[in-house]
Amino acid sequence: MSGEPKWAGWGEPGKRTPLGDGALALLRSELGEGVPATPVELAEVRMPEPQPLPEAIAAAVGDESVLTGHEQRVRRSAGRSYPDLVRLRGGALERAPDAVVVPADAAQVARVLEVCAAGGVAVVPFGGGTSVVGGVDPLAGPHGRVIALDLRRMRSVAVDPISQTATLGPGLRGPEAEWALGERGFTAGHFPQSFECATVGGFAATRSAGQASAGYGRFDEIVTAVELVTPSGTMRTLATPHTAAGPALRELVVGSEGTLGVITEVTVRVRPAPAERRYEAWVALDFAAGRELIRSLAQADALPDVTRLSDEAETRVSLGLSGADGARRAALDAYLKLRRRSGGCLVICGWEGESEAVDRRRAVSLRHLRRGGAVPLGGAAGRAWERGRFDGPYLRDELMDLGYFVETLETSHEWSRLDDTYRAVGGALDRALRDQGTPGIVLCHLSHPYRDGASLYFTFVSRARSGDELEQWHAVKSAACEAIVAAGATITHHHAVGTDHAPYMEAEVGGLGVEALRAIKARLDPAGIMNPGKLLPG
Ligand SMILES: Cc1cc2nc3c(=O)[nH]c(=O)nc-3n(C[C@H](O)[C@H](O)[C@H](O)COP(=O)(O)OP(=O)(O)OC[C@H]3O[C@@H](n4cnc5c(N)ncnc54)[C@H](O)[C@@H]3O)c2cc1C
């Protein structure tokens, strides 16, 4: 994607994933008819007037890099969660940055932070703006004024082919980084569903996990070094494969969500671009059998690079939404019947690398899949998933246009507690949607498997309560978060904390843990200008 994404939706302007007739019929029969909702025009969006900012900001970056136009402020006023989109589409923004400041390099970032700390201006680091947890909400905190610090100009790439590492600028979007690495024969292997729009700095700041995390590792696992510019100075960690020099400061920076400073450089491990990508689909007997199967793969070191298991509801709906109704659906049913199986749960497996290694690793995985009772659906279904892996978010725009509430959340837990967590969170979502008078469909998949556990990713859809969408979202999201906390699971496996999960941080890390984080923030950001309201509870 070149240029700016949709301002109140997902991804490339003009690109859509339209809902087929079968999918529409399924929605209407299960959820009822929504009240169609059209977003306002960008020019009609209302927001507070910008406050005057210290002139020294423009002196630090140049006048042309301080943007105060209507469109720029709207575009940097929200992330991409459901409530963000409701606010944008409704056209009445409670908050917007007073300006969008676009530094060229780390030295300009340092100067801007210095001026903002002295002048009492909050700073929200802004990468791709794809946060789904309120991470880029332009909160001014006690300061009254706020800028979005847009890192789009900082897109350097330096590859060390001998060490197989790359030092990347924070403003590189996923495809730009992969294209630059690909030209030199490498890949970072980081493909979150937000890949098209999210940036390297955002990946690091949120501990992002890509779809192939079982093979390449999560983003925080491939980061070897970072540079963080803070209001108190610049902190750099060494790019070495390992160090025993005390607690890892790199770990403190990765996941700091812009609350400590601005990540201005990230060094990551890269790998030779795979000669082969082999994706296929299988069907497990049911979700419990599929879970056990993936556990056995993980604990035998036999995981495919992409490993993902849909529960019964997600399997049924994803087949419906992807248009696998009519003839394709009938063919699938006939095939499964032939194998004495109806229904079941979809498993997507993908192996990447040298052809020989792919064959070898796949053969080991397949033994486990068969032993676990899964039946193959073949390469075509796997390749269809691979082709459409970044299309899902476009569906959300279509659903919102039709008046549906659609949101996702995720967690992770140990294998021994995963089933309880699945039931507790799914049940809480189901009950909360009913309590809102809008019974819904709750879908889940298991992904990002480890030897000791895995992530659960929930998607839920219901009719939107037209005019009360934010209250509806808040009630349902809170019910799910409370169920996650009660299950002893993490409040987030990879979406990060932002504003939405900050109230649950104490449950996650304890009171002393929160105080320790506050103490570090007080040292690096004594004026408290860095991304107020995120990560730490208010
Ligand atoms: C449709 C969709 C699908 C998604 N799929 C995934 C997925 O598969 N896996 C996953 O992990 N996440 C996913 N996400 C969440 C989101 O894309 C990730 O959190 C991503 O890492 C954010 O990157 P970004 O560049 O958009 O960051 P932003 O949204 O711009 O910022 C996120 C947070 O990081 C801070 N930040 C950004 N850049 C910097 C920097 N250079 N220095 C310091 N702080 C910074 C911001 O202040 C903010 O707090 C998805 C989101 C959407 C909307």
Side-chain angles (χ1 to χ4, degrees):
M1 184 180 59
S2 58
E4 293 272 23
K6 287 179 194 148
W7 72 273
W10 180 254
E12 206 169 317
K15 185 171 166 189
R16 290 181 57 201
T17 305
L19 285 159
D21 290 345
L24 277 173
L26 182 142
L27 280 171
R28 287 181 177 136
S29 74
E30 297 203 13
L31 304 177
E33 195 88 42
V35 178
T38 314
V40 302
E41 294 295 324
L42 173 56
E44 288 167 21
V45 175
R46 285 172 286 116
M47 59 190 160
E49 286 299 309
Q51 304 288 310
L53 292 166
E55 282 171 13
I57 293 181
V61 292
D63 285 335
E64 68 291 353
S65 300
V66 180
L67 313 174
T68 51
H70 178 86
E71 176 170 349
Q72 288 295 337
R73 291 181 62 225
V74 172
R75 283 186 175 281
R76 300 295 177 266
S77 64
R80 283 298 172 270
S81 66
Y82 177 78
D84 287 330
L85 294 179
V86 167
R87 288 188 195 101
L88 284 167
R89 292 165 59 103
L93 298 177
E94 263 171 60
R95 296 178 286 278
D98 294 305
V100 178
V101 177
V102 196
D105 54 31
Q108 288 193 358
V109 171
R111 185 81 190 106
V112 170
L113 297 194
E114 200 180 298
V115 172
C116 288
V121 179
V123 177
V124 179
F126 199 103
T130 67
S131 169
V132 281
V133 292
V136 290
D137 196 347
L139 293 167
H143 307 289
R145 296 180 292 179
V146 56
I147 60 165
L149 194 73
D150 187 328
L151 298 153
R152 71 180 100 158
R153 286 169 72 195
M154 296 175 61
R155 300 209 301 272
S156 56
V157 179
V159 176
D160 173 348
I162 296 174
S163 314
Q164 298 199 345
T165 59
T167 299
L168 305 172
L172 287 160
R173 287 210 180 120
E176 289 175 318
E178 274 301 314
W179 182 83
L181 293 173
E183 271 212 313
R184 295 152 172 94
F186 292 104
T187 178
H190 187 67
F191 299 102
Q193 203 184 31
S194 53
F195 175 72
E196 288 171 272
C197 302
T199 62
V200 165
F203 295 152
T206 61
R207 307 181 83 96
S208 165
Q211 291 164 339
S213 72
Y216 294 92
R218 295 181 315 268
F219 200 77
D220 57 294
E221 291 175 310
I222 64 168
V223 171
T224 63
V226 280
E227 179 180 82
L228 182 77
V229 175
T230 79
S232 297
T234 295
M235 206 164 87
R236 258 182 225 97
T237 67
L238 288 181
T240 60
H242 180 64
T243 165
L249 289 176
R250 183 192 63 227
E251 286 292 296
L252 186 69
V253 173
V254 170
S256 57
E257 301 187 28
T259 60
L260 302 179
V262 181
I263 297 170
T264 47
E265 212 171 73
V266 183
T267 303
V268 292
R269 292 194 179 94
V270 294
R271 297 190 190 194
E276 186 171 349
R277 289 194 156 93
R278 185 152 181 173
Y279 282 76
E280 53 196 66
W282 289 67
V283 177
L285 196 58
D286 55 27
F287 194 53
R291 186 190 66 236
E292 284 309 294
L293 196 162
I294 292 179
R295 180 168 73 86
S296 86
L297 284 166
Q299 293 178 343
D301 290 326
L303 279 170
D305 300 316
V306 172
T307 312
R308 177 190 161 111
L309 163 73
S310 295
D311 72 354
E312 286 81 357
E314 189 177 275
T315 301
R316 183 175 61 82
V317 171
S318 53
L319 287 172
L321 289 186
S322 67
D325 38 18
R328 269 176 63 199
R329 179 65 211 230
L332 173 65
D333 286 347
Y335 174 77
L336 290 170
K337 211 164 164 194
L338 208 66
R339 300 210 162 217
R340 290 194 208 86
R341 178 77 57 84
S342 66
C345 289
L346 194 63
V347 186
I348 298 293
C349 299
W351 298 265
E352 303 193 354
E354 287 298 318
S355 299
E356 205 183 311
V358 164
D359 287 348
R360 183 168 30 81
R361 294 176 52 224
R362 179 173 169 270
V364 180
S365 304
L366 259 49
R367 277 206 296 279
H368 285 267
L369 284 159
R370 291 210 171 92
R371 212 180 292 149
V375 293
L377 274 188
R383 286 192 294 277
W385 178 85
E386 190 193 5
R387 267 197 312 279
R389 67 203 282 195
F390 304 125
D391 292 347
Y394 290 90
L395 265 182
R396 182 169 56 165
D397 297 342
E398 305 287 324
L399 291 166
M400 289 183 75
D401 286 348
L402 292 167
Y404 291 103
F405 165 32
V406 50
E407 179 62 311
T408 64
L409 52 86
E410 38 71 62
T411 180
S412 78
H413 214 332
E414 294 179 312
W415 291 116
S416 58
R417 312 275 297 279
L418 210 59
D419 186 44
D420 288 349
T421 308
Y422 169 67
R423 287 173 197 285
V425 180
L429 285 167
D430 190 55
R431 278 190 302 280
L433 288 166
R434 280 178 202 286
D435 289 350
Q436 290 296 303
T438 54
I441 312 176
V442 180
L443 322 172
C444 182
H445 65 253
L446 181 159
S447 53
H448 310 294
Y450 307 88
R451 288 186 76 81
D452 51 343
S455 164
L456 294 172
Y457 187 98
F458 294 87
T459 303
F460 41 101
V461 192
S462 78
R463 265 180 305 111
R465 270 184 36 202
S466 180
D468 286 329
E469 290 92 345
L470 295 178
E471 292 77 3
Q472 179 187 23
W473 171 84
H474 190 259
V476 178
K477 172 83 177 175
S478 306
C481 289
E482 277 153 28
I484 287 172
V485 168
T490 178
I491 196 66
T492 174
H493 172 267
H494 57 265
H495 280 170
V497 179
T499 50
D500 298 352
H501 297 148
Y504 305 96
M505 269 304 268
E506 191 161 334
E508 180 94 15
V509 301
L512 187 58
V514 168
E515 278 178 42
L517 287 174
R518 280 196 206 288
I520 292 164
K521 180 169 169 70
R523 174 63 188 90
L524 298 178
D525 175 27
I529 57 162
M530 294 308 308
N531 216 3
K534 321 298 157 41
L535 187 63
L536 294 163

